[in-house]
Amino acid sequence: MLDNPEATETKHAVIAAIDDAWRDLRRCLSPLTGPEMIIPGVCGEWSVKDVLAHITTWESELIMALGRGSAVPTPNLDEFNEKAVRSRASLTSREVMEQLEDTHRSLRDALNDAPAAYFAYGESIRTKIDSDSLLHYEEHAAQIRAWVLGRRRAKRVGQG
């Protein structure tokens, strides 16, 4: 069955928005050093490394949902998130970044292969696509930026 042109256009627009948000997330990481990646406080007690491990987990969940063609609710989000971060706690920042990049490439492949109907507004799978990628990147990029800005301000005040 062929996707209709309007659905295909929507799919391309959603993927383009995801790509833009991904690039923005990557930009906010670029000034960070390895040691800065493990300092807590970016999102609660999470470090940047922890946030990236968290994003990787949700991208993996989205890949599975795209394969199934449906979103499955996560019963206890806080517990799920903490377990996801703990599972990568022993990894270095570099290893977490490598996993993030690998998982994101797999997600992009899954999004490209997904039927255009998944991208229709109001579909539960579309809601998952948005929340586990685009909106997720935006949320955590904003947290990372705020954390970096707060650290810079604190350093200036400390030097003043």
Side-chain angles (χ1 to χ4, degrees):
M1 181 170 117
L2 295 175
D3 291 321
N4 72 49
E6 186 176 309
T8 300
E9 187 175 314
T10 299
K11 174 181 176 174
H12 292 307
V14 170
I15 292 174
I18 290 168
D19 289 344
D20 287 345
W22 175 257
R23 281 189 294 275
D24 187 56
L25 173 65
R26 294 293 285 125
R27 270 192 300 277
C28 79
L29 300 174
S30 63
L32 297 175
T33 64
E36 288 174 314
M37 298 281 286
I38 60 172
I39 298 170
V42 175
C43 177
E45 289 300 311
W46 286 357
S47 65
V48 171
K49 177 188 134 183
D50 296 331
V51 169
L52 299 179
H54 163 79
I55 291 170
T56 300
T57 298
W58 284 102
E59 282 193 338
S60 296
E61 289 292 309
L62 178 52
I63 291 167
M64 289 187 291
L66 290 166
R68 282 189 308 269
S70 66
V72 175
T74 304
N76 186 329
L77 287 176
D78 291 337
E79 185 178 304
F80 180 86
N81 287 330
E82 285 303 321
K83 184 178 176 185
V85 170
R86 275 195 315 272
S87 74
R88 290 183 171 86
S90 65
L91 299 176
T92 66
S93 296
R94 180 181 301 259
E95 290 168 328
V96 168
M97 285 296 299
E98 288 170 358
Q99 282 188 359
L100 178 70
E101 294 293 341
D102 290 345
T103 303
H104 187 71
R105 277 190 294 278
S106 295
L107 174 59
R108 283 293 279 112
D109 291 343
L111 289 166
N112 283 326
D113 294 343
Y118 288 8
F119 296 83
Y121 186 76
E123 291 293 321
S124 63
I125 192 79
R126 166 65 188 276
T127 301
K128 183 150 186 71
I129 290 168
D130 291 346
S131 66
D132 291 0
S133 63
L134 170 72
L135 299 175
H136 209 203
Y137 309 151
E138 290 174 347
E139 171 190 10
H140 291 304
Q143 291 168 333
I144 293 167
R145 275 196 189 86
W147 179 78
V148 168
L149 184 60
R151 287 184 46 78
R152 285 182 186 154
R153 284 182 179 152
K155 284 182 183 179
R156 280 195 301 268
V157 170
Q159 293 175 352

